[in-house]
């Protein structure tokens, strides 16, 4: 795997780079920005459960993001699949161009979205919003049929090959042209759901890169 991102010229950035360099088969392309502070997430934990999270962050500079985009162009031919994980921190300012480049290179591009403006994700292979993220952009629903209509309308409007909505205890729902697949959960007692969405999109990417069909990957 190749990780492309931006860090500050600070202790947190150096620590992150060190941890990544210790991982086998991970190439870390971390662009250092002197005007940027590496994002730190402070989690308040009590009895093994997260109570709240406080983020310390700044926006990366336009220049460093342009440099990162050029690195993206170089690395793209070497990839089997692309993950664009949007945390709403400013690092994916050029996400529309990244999607365009990926599709032109015939690389599947999976996007974990953020916020209520999904127009910039237009043309992606698949979006993987969670239930609350989907509600933020599509509005609320009362029935399963209404949910399905909203999901298919969003998929069609954004010209996506697929839309996967992760639904917490209700499992996952995959929408493709003429097809809806619901995958239920298997009950587990979970104390901390941090990173669940990241796990979903990472697993999907590995399966697709290995040649699996989407329903099997789900």
């Amino acid at each position: 795997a190749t990780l492309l991102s931006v860090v500050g010229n600070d202790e947190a950035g150096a620590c992150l780079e060190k941890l990544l360099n210790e991982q086998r088969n991970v190439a870390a392309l971390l662009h250092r920005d002197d005007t940027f502070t590496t994002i730190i997430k402070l989690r308040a934990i009590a009895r093994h459960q997260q109570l709240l999270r406080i983020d310390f962050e700044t926006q990366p500079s336009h220049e460093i993001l342009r440099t990162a985009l050029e690195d993206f162009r170089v690395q793209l031919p070497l990839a089997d699949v692309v993950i664009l994980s949007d945390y709403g921190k400013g690092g994916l300012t050029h996400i529309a161009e990244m999607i365009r480049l990926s599709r032109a290179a015939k690389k599947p591009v999976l996007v974990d979205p953020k916020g209520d403006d999904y127009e910039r994700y237009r043309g992606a292979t698949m979006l993987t919003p969670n239930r609350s993220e989907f509600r933020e952009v599509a509005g609320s629903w009362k029935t399963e049929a209404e949910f399905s209509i909203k999901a298919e309308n969003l998929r069609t409007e954004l010209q996506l090959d697929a839309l996967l909505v992760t639904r917490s205890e209700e499992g996952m729902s995959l929408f493709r042209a003429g097809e809806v697949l619901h995958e239920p959960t298997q009950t587990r007692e979970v104390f901390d759901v941090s990173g669940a969405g990241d796990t979903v999109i990472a697993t999907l990417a590995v399966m697709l890169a290995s040649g699996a069909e989407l329903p099997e990957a789900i």
Side-chain angles (χ1 to χ4, degrees), residues 171-187:
M172 299 187 290
S173 297
L174 173 69
F175 297 87
R176 295 194 292 180
E179 178 186 19
V180 181
L181 173 66
H182 298 290
E183 184 67 29
T185 57
Q186 298 180 33
T187 304

Side-chain angles (χ1 to χ4, degrees), residues 113-144:
K114 186 68 72 176
D116 58 2
D117 178 17
Y118 279 20
E119 179 59 34
R120 56 204 181 124
Y121 308 132
R122 176 179 294 276
T125 305
M126 181 165 66
L127 247 58
T128 63
N130 62 33
R131 186 168 52 190
S132 60
E133 289 167 341
F134 176 75
R135 184 182 290 112
E136 186 177 356
V137 71
S140 60
W141 59 90
K142 293 182 179 179
T143 65
E144 193 70 18

Side-chain angles (χ1 to χ4, degrees), residues 18-145:
K18 178 177 180 294
L19 289 169
L20 286 166
N21 288 336
E22 290 172 356
Q23 308 303 310
R24 290 191 306 163
N25 301 323
V26 175
L29 297 178
L30 301 180
H31 290 263
R32 290 185 176 273
D33 186 347
D34 291 334
T35 67
F36 175 73
T37 302
T38 302
I39 296 167
I40 295 175
K41 299 180 180 183
L42 178 64
R43 302 179 189 273
I45 307 292
R47 297 189 179 184
H48 308 291
Q49 289 187 307
Q50 179 177 305
L51 301 180
L52 63 112
R53 194 187 82 202
I54 305 165
D55 292 5
F56 299 88
E57 60 189 66
T58 55
Q59 292 281 325
S61 68
H62 177 77
E63 291 75 15
I64 207 77
L65 292 176
R66 179 58 63 180
T67 303
L69 179 60
E70 291 308 311
D71 258 5
F72 181 84
R73 293 178 193 272
V74 172
Q75 294 297 321
L76 186 58
L78 308 176
D80 295 306
V81 64
V82 174
I83 298 176
L84 299 174
S85 197
D86 193 351
Y87 293 96
K89 308 296 187 185
L92 286 177
T93 298
H94 302 298
I95 190 168
E97 177 67 3
M98 290 174 165
I99 292 171
R100 188 192 68 78
L101 290 169
S102 299
R103 295 310 295 260
K106 293 182 169 45
K107 307 290 185 180
V109 53
L110 315 183
V111 180
D112 194 352
K114 186 68 72 176
D116 58 2
D117 178 17
Y118 279 20
E119 179 59 34
R120 56 204 181 124
Y121 308 132
R122 176 179 294 276
T125 305
M126 181 165 66
L127 247 58
T128 63
N130 62 33
R131 186 168 52 190
S132 60
E133 289 167 341
F134 176 75
R135 184 182 290 112
E136 186 177 356
V137 71
S140 60
W141 59 90
K142 293 182 179 179
T143 65
E144 193 70 18

Side-chain angles (χ1 to χ4, degrees), residues 192-213:
D192 186 0
V193 298
S194 299
D198 300 307
T199 304
V200 168
I201 199 169
T203 305
L204 284 172
V206 170
M207 292 289 286
L208 293 175
S210 300
E213 293 297 322

